[in-house]
Amino acid sequence: MNQHIVSAYDSEIKSLQKKVVEMGGIAEKMLSDVLEAIEKRDVNLAQQIILIDARLDGLQREIDEQAIHTIARRQPMAVDLREIFVVSQIAGDIERVGDLVKNIGKRIIAMEGHFPPKTLLSGLRNMNLLALGQFKAVLDAYIQKDVSAAMNVWSNDGGIDRLYNSLFRELLTYMMEDPRNITFCTHLLFSAKNIERVGDHATNIAERIYYVVTGGMLTVSRPRGEDGADMAAVETNT
């Protein structure tokens, strides 16, 4: 009987993890596609990205409901309880990544065909590629329960912040030089901020991996890009 209970519990955990992996795959594709939509000025692709976000929302609800039922039935302790708790949290992070990418899709549509010069997109592209790489790496770390790989993602989050700060200054300069640039530069600024937040959620997941594997919480501050506090202050005041 005990073996049956353990087997059933393991099956439930694997089912939760499988749904998290599915969510991660959807969010990865959304993040990759949204850059293509900007570069190709593809409004139709942006609309598809917005629509697919509903699948992430549905999967997160399924995970939360299944996690609650599993806790109620099995009453897990220690590492088992941490596993279920973290699965639900990671699902929330991935769902939020989907929301952030969806927001970028809405910005593409809002540009109404008035897209910025491609030379302005290089900074956004670099940010997107780095965030996508971080996101993929942390999902792999979760699947493998690799704390070292998770901490590598955590320690590299400052790189996305630095790219964001650089792009912030570049776009601000364009807006000051010519008021006609304000509209599309504003859309790009919000898009860049959404990508920077994707990096933050990858860092969240890395911290959750550390917790589920070690049972402890990180006690050091997160790395930040240079002038991160200054950029935040500028955003708050504008």
Side-chain angles (χ1 to χ4, degrees), residues 11 14 18 20 41 52 55 72 97 121 126 155 167 176 194 214 229 237:
S11 178
K14 288 178 181 178
K18 182 178 179 181
V20 167
R41 294 143 166 83
I52 201 172
R55 177 58 179 157
V97 167
L121 296 177
N126 291 337
S155 63
L167 182 60
M176 293 173 65
N194 285 327
T214 69
N237 294 326

Side-chain angles (χ1 to χ4, degrees), residues 3-237:
Q3 288 181 344
H4 173 74
I5 292 173
V6 170
S7 177
Y9 174 76
D10 287 344
S11 178
E12 290 174 13
I13 291 294
K14 288 178 181 178
S15 175
L16 286 168
Q17 292 172 337
K18 182 178 179 181
K19 288 179 180 178
V20 167
V21 171
E22 182 180 354
M23 286 186 72
I26 293 171
E28 282 182 23
K29 189 173 189 310
M30 289 174 68
L31 192 55
S32 176
D33 286 349
V34 81
L35 180 62
E36 180 180 347
I38 292 176
E39 292 183 330
K40 294 184 177 179
R41 294 143 166 83
D42 192 335
V43 174
N44 290 330
L45 180 56
Q47 291 172 334
Q48 293 173 26
I49 291 167
I50 293 170
L51 291 174
I52 201 172
D53 180 64
R55 177 58 179 157
L56 285 181
D57 296 340
L59 282 168
Q60 187 200 13
R61 286 193 296 271
E62 290 176 18
I63 288 170
D64 284 346
E65 290 172 3
Q66 187 176 339
I68 291 170
H69 292 159
T70 299
I71 291 172
R73 285 196 303 270
R74 310 300 179 190
Q75 298 183 354
M77 302 291 288
V79 67
D80 293 331
L81 182 59
R82 290 203 306 270
E83 180 72 49
I84 296 174
F85 180 64
V86 165
V87 162
S88 185
Q89 286 187 317
I90 291 177
D93 281 309
I94 297 174
E95 188 276 335
R96 185 57 185 146
V97 167
D99 287 341
L100 293 167
V101 178
K102 178 178 68 175
N103 290 342
I104 299 173
K106 290 180 178 179
R107 291 284 170 182
I108 295 170
I109 294 172
M111 290 183 193
E112 298 179 347
H114 301 292
F115 288 90
K118 287 190 176 182
T119 53
L120 269 183
L121 296 177
S122 60
L124 194 68
R125 176 180 177 81
N126 291 337
M127 274 193 70
N128 185 282
L129 291 175
L130 183 54
L132 180 59
Q134 292 280 85
F135 189 61
K136 286 181 176 180
V138 83
L139 290 176
D140 288 341
Y142 169 67
I143 293 169
Q144 299 166 13
K145 295 296 187 291
D146 188 336
V147 174
S148 178
M151 289 300 93
N152 187 54
V153 170
W154 185 88
S155 63
N156 287 329
D157 181 60
I160 298 176
D161 293 339
R162 285 188 289 273
L163 286 176
Y164 171 71
N165 293 339
S166 176
L167 182 60
F168 183 97
R169 295 188 184 95
E170 181 182 4
L171 292 175
L172 200 61
T173 299
Y174 270 91
M175 287 190 283
M176 293 173 65
E177 288 177 348
D178 188 343
R180 291 174 298 180
N181 297 334
I182 291 176
T183 298
F184 67 73
C185 282
T186 299
H187 287 306
L188 289 183
L189 275 173
F190 278 106
S191 297
K193 185 59 181 178
N194 285 327
I195 294 173
E196 189 266 338
R197 289 291 295 139
V198 169
D200 289 340
H201 283 285
T203 305
N204 286 349
I205 295 172
E207 292 177 353
R208 304 193 199 292
I209 294 168
Y210 181 90
Y211 171 69
V212 76
V213 174
T214 69
M217 305 291 287
L218 285 170
T219 58
V220 293
S221 300
R222 287 188 177 189
R224 288 181 62 90
E226 295 178 0
D227 301 328
D230 293 340
M231 292 298 101
V234 171
E235 289 166 11
T236 302
N237 294 326

